[in-house]
Amino acid sequence: MAKILDIVPVNDWGFFTLPRPMVIAGPCSAETREQVLETARGLRRFGINVFRAGIWKPRTHPGSFEGIGTEGLKWLREVKEETGMKVGTEVASEKHVYECIKYGIDMVWIGARTTANPFLVQEIADALRDTDIPVLVKNPVNPDLDLWIGALERLNRSGVRKLGVIHRGFSTTENILYRNAPGWQIAIELRTRYPQLPFFADPSHMGGDRKYLMEISQKAMDLGLEGLMIESHCNPSCALSDAKQQLVPEDLEQLLLDIQVRDADTDDRVYKEGIDQLRAQIDIIDDNLLYTFGSRMSVSRKMGEYKRDHNIAILQTSRWDSIMAKMLRNGAAYGLSETFLTTVFNAIHEESVRIQNEIIANKP
Ligand code: PEP
Ligand code: MN
């Protein structure tokens, strides 16, 4: 059972003006005072009110640009004073937190590499105790939901109630289009367990290339997430980190005009009645599916006993191959995709084999 998180609703943070998406934008890294201020002005012009910039950068190789350090906090403070925007940066240690407090940083986030380390998360949580600074926790680099939740619990126990998450995808060794594997099902699971938790997507780090920002942002909105954290730089081709994925403020403005934002929910009575009827149909069908799966597995159990009594091996792959081929053929007629059919029938087959194995193992 999921533990309860004690959260201040994001609308009460005084950070974002509605409507969705709530946007946090700014460069991957603060590089120079001019670059920070120019980017912030460009974003402020079309109503962005939360500015991000990395001050300490977790880089894979030493010798890459590892962030400007404390000097950059003064530039963020200037952004805040000049534009009235809230400013945020990534923290990865208690020292970073203390520096942020000293320079009046409004919000911090915990990066994906740090979320994966409970020692550091605890250190950061302790340093944030008795402050009112909102904290956004990125998913850990590895697709481990519990590690992500554990980080949220540590912060919440330290009294951080302005708490939210950023989904930026997961490291993978697979050859995929994006820089990080989306793993949306993990985000959806977290969303389902903690519906009150403000939820941002980070299309920049998920996609790794500005050409994917639109489709990922749209997906995040379709899933009903509250916001987006997007990297924007006044001159991306010269950026010292993540050059490929940053976009100029004007292009971000266009992207935000282009995405379609559907209401997360509504009080409209006619809509509610319609959706309730459809949901009732789905519930009945899901019940039927359970019944069907149950019947399917009780036949599997009988088959296991029959094979056991006749001393026959459980797995006959040729039979399974022909069942699968038939299902793919027939399933297509119902408009079911090959991926869906393969996933479902492989799962059914695995469960059936597991049940039959159990019967053989418990041979009387
Ligand atoms: C960042 O936001 O600049 C960053 C380093 O992101 P992540 O922790 O998602 O890699
Ligand atoms: Mn970056």
Side-chain angles (χ1 to χ4, degrees), residues 37 40 51 74-87 103-107:
L37 283 166
F51 184 75
K74 296 183 190 153
W75 309 334
L76 290 185
R77 196 167 57 186
E78 265 190 85
V79 166
K80 188 172 154 165
E81 284 162 4
E82 185 190 308
T83 67
M85 290 163 111
K86 303 280 188 191
V87 294
Y103 286 87
I105 300 304
D106 301 292
M107 180 267 291

Side-chain angles (χ1 to χ4, degrees), residues 212-344:
Y212 300 127
L213 292 176
M214 179 64 200
E215 64 190 49
I216 299 173
S217 303
Q218 185 62 58
K219 175 87 179 171
M221 288 304 100
D222 292 346
L223 289 171
L225 306 191
E226 276 77 22
L228 302 169
M229 178 190 256
I230 299 192
E231 287 187 341
S232 177
H233 190 295
C234 56
N235 188 0
S237 57
C238 295
L240 298 181
S241 58
D242 290 350
K244 246 173 77 178
Q245 72 196 29
Q246 305 201 59
L247 82 181
V248 291
E250 296 71 36
D251 289 346
L252 176 58
E253 180 180 17
Q254 192 56 49
L255 181 146
L256 294 173
L257 290 170
D258 289 345
I259 50 179
Q260 281 190 32
V261 184
R262 295 174 188 88
D263 286 342
D265 209 348
T266 169
D267 289 329
D268 182 83
R269 195 179 51 81
V270 178
Y271 166 81
K272 274 208 181 305
E273 279 172 17
I275 199 76
D276 284 350
Q277 281 179 22
L278 292 171
R279 285 187 174 141
Q281 287 180 34
I282 291 274
D283 287 348
I284 292 169
I285 294 171
D286 284 350
D287 273 348
N288 287 341
L289 281 176
L290 280 184
Y291 175 78
T292 306
F293 286 143
S295 315
R296 168 75 165 77
M297 294 310 156
S298 72
V299 176
S300 296
R301 208 161 283 119
K302 282 190 195 135
M303 262 174 43
E305 285 158 8
Y306 198 67
K307 286 179 188 168
R308 176 195 62 199
D309 296 344
H310 292 81
N311 231 0
I312 303 291
I314 287 173
L315 214 52
Q316 277 101 43
T317 42
S318 60
R319 158 133 172 98
W320 182 248
D321 290 344
S322 75
I323 294 182
M324 193 60 121
K326 190 177 92 189
M327 289 305 170
L328 290 182
R329 237 181 6 258
N330 295 353
Y334 293 105
L336 303 172
S337 76
E338 187 170 330
T339 318
F340 173 74
L341 291 164
T342 322
T343 311
V344 169

Side-chain angles (χ1 to χ4, degrees), residues 24 26-29 52-54 57-59 90 109 111-113 138-139 141 166-171 176-182 201-210 212-213 216-217 229-232 241-246:
I24 302 167
C28 179
S29 307
R52 64 149 283 159
K57 299 304 296 179
R59 304 305 298 278
E90 173 176 341
W109 75 86
R113 296 158 194 79
K138 288 202 175 195
N139 63 264
V141 274
I166 305 175
H167 181 54
R168 49 77 87 195
F170 304 98
S171 290
I176 58 166
L177 226 46
Y178 294 167
R179 176 173 171 186
N180 286 294
D202 174 350
S204 308
H205 291 93
M206 185 180 288
D209 190 313
R210 57 189 150 266
Y212 300 127
L213 292 176
I216 299 173
S217 303
M229 178 190 256
I230 299 192
E231 287 187 341
S232 177
S241 58
D242 290 350
K244 246 173 77 178
Q245 72 196 29
Q246 305 201 59

Side-chain angles (χ1 to χ4, degrees), residues 46-147:
F46 60 95
I48 300 296
N49 30 39
V50 185
F51 184 75
R52 64 149 283 159
I55 297 291
W56 303 279
K57 299 304 296 179
R59 304 305 298 278
T60 304
H61 296 286
S64 321
F65 175 63
E66 292 188 311
I68 198 76
T70 305
E71 174 73 7
L73 294 174
K74 296 183 190 153
W75 309 334
L76 290 185
R77 196 167 57 186
E78 265 190 85
V79 166
K80 188 172 154 165
E81 284 162 4
E82 185 190 308
T83 67
M85 290 163 111
K86 303 280 188 191
V87 294
T89 195
E90 173 176 341
V91 290
S93 69
E94 60 177 12
K95 174 179 167 286
H96 294 165
V97 174
Y98 295 139
E99 293 285 273
C100 285
I101 295 172
K102 194 159 128 201
Y103 286 87
I105 300 304
D106 301 292
M107 180 267 291
V108 296
W109 75 86
I110 297 183
R113 296 158 194 79
T114 309
T115 307
N117 184 334
F119 288 131
L120 287 177
V121 174
Q122 190 59 53
E123 176 181 311
I124 293 166
D126 292 340
L128 283 163
R129 195 182 288 279
D130 302 325
T131 72
D132 193 34
I133 300 175
V135 184
L136 299 178
V137 183
K138 288 202 175 195
N139 63 264
V141 274
N142 51 325
D144 182 338
L145 180 57
D146 277 329
L147 205 48

